[in-house]
Amino acid sequence: MAKTVTGCLIIIGNEILSGRTQDINLAHLAKALNEFGVRMVHARVIPDVEDIIIETVNECRETYDHVFTTGGIGPTHDDITSAAIAKAFDLPLVRHPDALEALEKYYKNNQHELNEQRLKMTETPEGATLIANAISIAPGFKIENVYVFA
């Protein structure tokens, strides 16, 4: 009998917990992953709190085959997911050169400037693999069995 490949979604954001924003990612991801043979078996909604993100990611990456996170990788002050993931893996947070190149190209032809705040969207744990973002130019990333999405 084949082993079930498991997935877990960690939804990160105070705006979800407060009710200001409705999550639409769980149903979409669960359905899409099922088509690839990954069964979503667990989901959590957690706040933008570094220690909670680190603890949750570390627990889930040991328990499930694949862990997906949504939220917290944008340019605002409360977008701390990338830094927390780096700490969970005990890796430095770096500006990914391919993400930097993509944002430089995008903002060169855009009415907005690529400022220090937006450069935050290029930061990943060292060694992470970028995941293209079809919605906006800022990529997600993968480190081991953890996939980090906006």
Side-chain angles (χ1 to χ4, degrees):
M1 192 175 239
K3 176 191 179 293
T4 300
V5 178
T6 60
C8 172
L9 175 61
I10 304 169
I11 303 162
I12 303 168
N14 295 336
E15 67 281 4
I16 302 290
L17 289 167
S18 72
R20 289 188 315 264
T21 301
Q22 295 290 315
D23 172 71
I24 59 171
N25 296 314
L26 177 57
H28 175 75
L29 269 173
K31 184 177 178 183
L33 289 170
N34 194 50
E35 293 175 11
F36 290 101
V38 177
R39 182 176 298 155
M40 188 72 70
V41 296
H42 191 81
R44 295 186 189 182
V45 182
I46 62 172
D48 294 303
V49 175
E50 183 179 84
D51 290 343
I52 294 174
I53 296 169
I54 293 168
E55 179 182 320
T56 304
V57 166
N58 280 334
E59 178 186 335
C60 292
R61 72 186 177 110
E62 295 296 324
T63 305
Y64 304 101
D65 296 312
H66 303 284
V67 177
F68 304 88
T69 75
T70 60
I73 63 170
T76 62
H77 74 282
D78 63 340
D79 289 318
I80 62 169
T81 299
S82 296
I85 298 285
K87 287 183 179 180
F89 282 89
D90 198 25
L91 292 169
L93 187 68
V94 298
R95 284 201 175 140
H96 195 290
D98 295 338
L100 179 59
E101 182 181 332
L103 264 68
E104 285 174 340
K105 182 178 177 182
Y106 175 79
Y107 281 103
K108 180 180 176 185
N109 301 315
N110 191 296
Q111 63 189 9
H112 303 289
E113 69 175 285
L114 180 57
N115 57 26
E116 208 47 47
Q117 196 173 1
R118 290 186 178 108
L119 282 170
K120 185 177 174 184
M121 296 185 294
T122 68
E123 296 175 348
T124 68
E126 188 173 64
T129 302
L130 294 185
I131 300 170
N133 182 344
I135 306 301
S136 77
I137 195 65
F141 61 88
K142 175 188 181 292
I143 187 87
E144 293 183 17
N145 66 331
V146 177
Y147 302 78
V148 180
F149 299 113

